[in-house]
Amino acid sequence: MTATLDTVATVTGSASARARFIPRRRPRVVTHVVLVAFMVYFALPFWWLIVASTKSQQALFDGKSSPLWFGSHFDLFANIAALFTYSGGIYWRWLGNSFAYALAGGIGATVLAVLAGYGFSMYGFRGRQAFFAIVLGSVMVPATVLAIPLFVMMSSAHLTNTPWAVILPSMLNPFAVYLMKVYTDDAIPAEMIDAARMDGAGEIRIFAQVAVPLMRPAVITVLLLGIVGTWNNFFLPLVMFSNPNLYPITVGLGALQAQAQVNTGGQSLWNLVITGALISIVPLIVSFLTLQKYWQGGLSLGSVK
């Protein structure tokens, strides 16, 4: 009986000792509050943009409705119709220019970044470290610093006031090269490349059929970053273009805003500026939602078994 009690006491003591060392979960209330605060902080401007786009130019400034809630009249479709017919439908041209610049610049930057990143990662050549250091150093150079030198270069080549003045600089993305190089180092084993070479595959075939599928998540990431960066680019097109018909949507809305600040107390075109800003972000949202499945699906693609 005594032995049984000792055994029970020993087991109970061990259980109590283990219970004392079980880590307690920290309350997540603070974390949830912080996340909700950040969500509201980032979503509030977008909500204001949606609400303001549904108001007429008079309702924007009469103070009869809250800036964060809809007015008595829903004028979104009227604002869209006025925007697309303003000045002979020039907003359509700005929108088409942004699509052309973003697709050409994003796809070009992705192709160059994939090739350069794969080369830096998989091939050993003289001066590789020095060239890659130059790439890393160029990442830290602000884009606005390069605007004037780029303008001088494009002017010397007679490319200003042409789409190439924006497309060509957008195709050079040092951060994308760095991202592809780092991702390739981890995603593509050197043994797999050596095995493909021993099987008689050429370098182009290895790159196209072995490397690119493994690099798919990084390729989609670079493509998204390139498209968004070119779409949102403002200062470079502002420097390169003097013809309003070549403006992307960012510079076009800036010119429309400047005109709104001059005309009749700055109120006559504000509904068009706000509606145009809302429409300008719709393609970016669609791009992210469309490419998200390929982005997530590629995370497990090409795993080595």
Side-chain angles (χ1 to χ4, degrees):
M1 185 66 179
T2 304
T4 303
L5 293 176
D6 293 340
T7 303
V8 172
T10 302
V11 173
T12 305
S14 300
S16 301
R18 287 196 301 269
R20 288 195 300 268
F21 289 99
I22 293 178
R24 296 181 179 180
R25 293 184 177 180
R26 297 181 179 180
R28 299 182 178 179
V29 178
V30 177
T31 303
H32 289 168
V33 170
V34 173
L35 291 177
V36 170
F38 275 108
M39 182 184 68
V40 172
Y41 175 77
F42 287 109
L44 192 61
F46 182 63
W47 173 251
W48 176 87
L49 187 63
I50 295 175
V51 171
S53 298
T54 63
K55 299 179 180 180
S56 64
Q57 53 184 321
Q58 181 180 0
L60 285 172
F61 298 96
D62 59 8
K64 294 181 180 179
S65 60
S66 173
L68 297 178
W69 196 247
F70 302 95
S72 57
H73 297 283
F74 189 82
D75 295 318
L76 175 61
F77 299 107
N79 291 337
I80 294 176
L83 175 66
F84 285 144
T85 57
Y86 174 77
S87 187
I90 195 170
Y91 187 84
W92 283 108
R93 181 178 293 273
W94 295 341
L95 197 62
N97 292 339
S98 291
F99 272 109
Y101 302 154
L103 290 177
I107 294 175
T110 303
V111 172
L112 293 179
V114 170
L115 294 174
Y118 180 80
F120 276 122
S121 177
M122 290 297 162
Y123 296 104
F125 52 90
R126 182 176 299 179
R128 181 177 66 170
Q129 298 297 331
F131 285 120
F132 190 66
I134 295 174
V135 172
L136 290 180
S138 60
V139 172
M140 295 180 286
V141 178
T144 53
V145 175
L146 301 176
I148 302 303
L150 285 173
F151 175 79
V152 175
M153 292 175 58
M154 294 299 171
S155 179
S156 301
H158 303 287
L159 292 178
T160 54
N161 272 323
T162 64
W164 296 109
V166 171
I167 294 176
L168 290 179
S170 300
M171 294 173 64
L172 302 177
N173 191 341
F175 177 76
V177 176
Y178 166 75
L179 181 63
M180 292 304 307
K181 195 268 181 185
V182 173
Y183 188 87
T184 304
D185 289 340
D186 295 332
I188 304 179
E191 295 80 5
M192 181 179 294
I193 303 298
D194 294 337
R197 288 170 179 165
M198 293 181 63
D199 290 339
E203 296 298 326
I204 297 178
R205 184 179 179 183
I206 292 174
F207 173 76
Q209 297 184 1
V210 178
V212 172
L214 295 175
M215 299 161 64
R216 180 177 173 180
V219 171
I220 300 299
T221 302
V222 170
L223 179 61
L224 283 173
L225 293 178
I227 291 176
V228 173
T230 308
W231 185 278
N232 292 332
N233 198 348
F234 176 80
F235 193 62
L236 182 62
L238 181 65
V239 172
M240 295 295 181
F241 297 145
S242 59
N243 184 2
N245 291 327
L246 294 175
Y247 285 170
I249 201 168
T250 50
V251 181
L253 286 177
L256 196 63
Q257 179 183 355
Q259 188 174 354
Q261 293 174 346
V262 175
N263 292 340
T264 63
Q267 298 182 15
S268 61
L269 296 176
W270 279 113
N271 60 326
L272 303 185
V273 174
I274 295 173
T275 306
L278 177 64
I279 296 176
S280 68
I281 64 176
V282 172
L284 298 181
I285 297 175
V286 173
S287 299
F288 272 94
L289 294 179
T290 303
L291 297 177
Q292 186 178 18
K293 60 180 180 180
Y294 300 104
W295 193 1
Q296 294 177 348
L299 293 177
S300 58
L301 185 67
S303 58
V304 182
K305 297 182 180 180

